[in-house]
């Protein structure tokens, strides 16, 4: 089975004349259409808001596209807050969901007016000491523990996760926060990652909605929003059936009307913090075959490496590969597709059946729009690639230049050796 690329070989041949491989390429049309679908799926909830998980793809050009449709930013660090502020996101447009949080990050989030989502009950005192008060609007992250299961099996293991408060703790946290002056409350939970099933959000929603009813009744807290966080995944493998966000939205609506409306909580706003679903399929890594090796296996060496896409090396994650211009040729050659790091796990594919690859062929590695460029690093002194946007009109726009050696050496600029490094 072959996944379709959002760029043609003819388009790519023109783009690489201007921007040498490797680079990450993003699909403006796909991003916009997907954002519209998400808004439509949850249009039944007047206060619905998607807070894009900045960690998944921290590029202001791309986030600005989402922002046109009312999307906010889900931030987890100081620099993500800085980026969000720079593109005009402040106040309730920012959800600050962090853990093991340094004081300066809480302080900056508060200065921006962000909604702070507390990961632990001990952070209440820490936050109060840091900023001198408790914000009027506050959220708490919930972790029920145990194993999270759906009808199609085990999804994840919240009991082994470092995130969130226990059931007892979140009740205590709401009481304490209310005593300290908090007036508007939110609940947040992330119980499973990259779920490719329409069941996840509705099942999670039911659990959080029932919790919200009990919390409001027992603590008197005014619950304004429930944040379903992320976890809605994408089909990395071509045989997987993609999530249908409209079916998911309808599933959440049914549970909302079953649980919250009868409890007099029909005005609660629903939030999401999707990163992978919002951007993952609309990015790809473009790389070129530059070496072939015939030893105990057949190897194709490309000019990208795990610096550009860490997931296969780190998780053994599958990313589909298209050899451009050979989509209709038989996949009758077995290759390991490798990068140039001094690590044997620097492989984009192992024993992958592909068309015969010749030197100079362009390879598109699919689904890198989330946790692709963002997870890059500089091991072996490798430099991060450029990011390019394929615009709706078919033109290409550079939205992040490739790193240069001067960037790698920039933190030596206070030493004499810097002059020799960048001469």
């Amino acid at each position: 089975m072959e996944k379709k690329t959002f760029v043609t070989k003819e388009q790519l041949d023109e783009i690489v004349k201007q921007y040498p491989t490797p680079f990450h390429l993003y699909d403006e049309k796909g991003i916009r259409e997907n954002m519209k679908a998400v808004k439509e799926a949850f249009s039944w909830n007047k206060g619905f808001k998607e807070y894009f998980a900045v960690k998944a793809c921290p590029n202001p050009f791309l986030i600005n596209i989402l922002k046109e449709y009312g999307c906010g930013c889900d931030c987890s660090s100081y620099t993500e807050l800085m980026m969000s502020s720079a593109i005009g996101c402040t106040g309730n447009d920012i959800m600050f969901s962090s853990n093991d949080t340094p004081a300066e990050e809480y302080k900056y989030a508060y200065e921006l007016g962000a909604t702070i989502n507390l990961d632990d009950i001990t952070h209440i005192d820490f936050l109060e000491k840091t900023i001198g008060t408790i914000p009027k609007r506050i959220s708490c992250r919930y972790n029920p523990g145990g194993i999270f299961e759906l009808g199609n099996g085990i999804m994840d293991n919240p009991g082994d996760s470092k995130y969130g408060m226990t059931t007892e703790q979140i009740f205590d946290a709401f009481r304490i926060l209310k005593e300290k002056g908090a007036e508007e409350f939110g609940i947040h939970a992330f119980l499973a990652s990259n779920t490719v099933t329409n069941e996840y959000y509705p099942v999670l929603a039911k659990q959080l909605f029932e919790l919200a009813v009990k919390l409001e009744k027992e603590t008197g807290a005014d619950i304004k929003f429930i944040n379903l966080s992320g976890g809605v995944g994408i089909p990395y493998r071509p045989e997987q059936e993609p999530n249908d966000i409209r079916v998911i939205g309808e599933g959440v609506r049914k549970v909302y009307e079953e649980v919250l409306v009868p409890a007099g909580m029909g005005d609660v706003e629903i939030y999401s913090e999707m990163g992978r679903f919002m951007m993952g399929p609309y990015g790809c890594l473009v790389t070129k075959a530059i070496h072939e090796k015939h030893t105990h296996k057949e190897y194709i060496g490309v000019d990208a490496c795990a610096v550009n896409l860490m997931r296969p090396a780190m998780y053994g994650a599958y990313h589909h590969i298209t050899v451009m211009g050979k989509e209709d040729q038989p996949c009758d050659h077995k290759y390991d597709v490798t990068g140039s790091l001094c690590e044997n796990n620097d492989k984009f594919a192992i024993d992958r059946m592909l068309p015969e690859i010749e030197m100079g062929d362009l390879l598109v590695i699919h689904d890198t729009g989330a946790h692709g460029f963002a997870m890059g690093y500089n091991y072996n002194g490798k430099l991060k690639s450029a990011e390019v946007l394929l615009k709706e009109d078919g033109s290409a726009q550079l939205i992040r230049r490739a790193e240069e050696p001067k960037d790698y050496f920039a933190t030596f600029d206070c030493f004499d050796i810097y002059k020799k490094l960048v001469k």
Side-chain angles (χ1 to χ4, degrees), residues 32-305:
R32 289 185 181 277
E33 289 178 352
N34 189 54
M35 183 67 223
K36 290 175 187 175
V38 170
K39 284 195 70 175
E40 289 172 12
F42 289 91
S43 60
W44 53 266
N45 184 264
K46 291 182 180 179
F48 172 76
K49 194 173 186 70
E50 157 65 15
Y51 289 87
F52 175 67
V54 175
K55 68 180 77 67
C57 191
N59 189 299
F61 289 88
L62 301 176
I63 299 172
N64 259 327
I65 294 173
L66 301 178
K67 188 169 172 281
E68 289 180 31
Y69 300 89
C71 190
C73 292
D74 163 46
C75 300
S76 59
S77 70
Y78 197 97
T79 47
E80 289 179 1
L81 288 168
M82 287 177 66
M83 182 180 293
S84 300
S85 176
I87 65 172
C89 279
T90 55
N92 289 347
D93 285 335
I94 301 176
M95 185 72 60
F96 184 58
S97 296
S98 61
N99 69 96
D100 195 17
T101 311
E104 60 268 22
E105 296 192 4
Y106 272 143
K107 184 178 179 183
Y108 186 40
Y110 179 68
E111 289 171 356
L112 292 176
T115 298
I116 293 173
N117 183 37
L118 296 173
D119 181 67
D120 188 68
I121 192 168
T122 63
H123 291 191
I124 297 173
D125 285 341
F126 186 83
L127 177 65
E128 187 174 31
K129 289 174 183 175
T130 297
I131 65 176
T133 187
I134 290 295
K136 298 295 184 186
R137 179 181 171 91
I138 196 87
S139 178
C140 290
R141 187 166 184 168
Y142 175 58
N143 183 336
I147 302 292
F148 186 80
E149 293 185 72
L150 294 176
N152 52 5
I154 293 173
M155 291 291 106
D156 222 321
N157 183 6
D160 197 36
S161 169
K162 69 174 182 173
Y163 307 110
M165 306 181 194
T166 67
T167 303
E168 182 181 356
Q169 287 173 340
I170 200 168
F171 276 84
D172 288 342
F174 271 45
R175 292 187 184 100
I176 294 167
L177 289 164
K178 192 168 183 287
E179 289 173 6
K180 290 180 177 292
E183 297 174 358
E184 298 182 356
F185 290 80
I187 307 170
H188 174 287
F190 177 84
L191 302 188
S193 178
N194 193 35
T195 62
V196 189
T197 167
N198 296 328
E199 293 180 60
Y200 172 61
Y201 255 12
V203 171
L204 170 64
K206 188 173 190 293
Q207 194 166 342
L208 293 184
F209 294 169
E210 290 173 348
L211 175 68
V213 171
K214 292 177 183 177
L215 277 167
E216 193 160 283
K217 182 179 179 181
E218 295 184 25
T219 69
D222 183 10
I223 297 176
K224 292 291 188 183
F225 65 87
I226 294 173
N227 191 333
L228 302 177
S229 186
V232 179
I234 61 173
Y236 285 99
R237 295 180 178 273
E239 67 272 15
Q240 288 179 296
E241 188 71 26
N243 284 322
D244 187 329
I245 197 64
R246 291 178 175 86
V247 172
I248 291 171
E250 177 62 14
V252 175
R253 184 193 65 78
K254 288 180 179 178
V255 180
Y256 188 97
E257 293 184 354
E258 289 171 8
V259 180
L260 290 181
V261 173
M265 299 174 66
D267 60 347
V268 171
E269 297 176 348
I270 300 301
Y271 299 158
S272 59
E273 289 174 354
M274 296 181 285
R276 198 187 312 261
F277 184 80
M278 300 305 299
M279 205 69 75
Y282 312 110
C284 64
L285 176 60
V286 180
T287 185
K288 183 186 294 182
I290 58 172
H291 288 289
E292 55 185 325
K293 185 173 182 178
H294 315 286
T295 54
H296 304 290
K297 301 181 77 173
E298 294 295 300
Y299 295 97
I300 294 295
V302 296
D303 58 5
C305 64

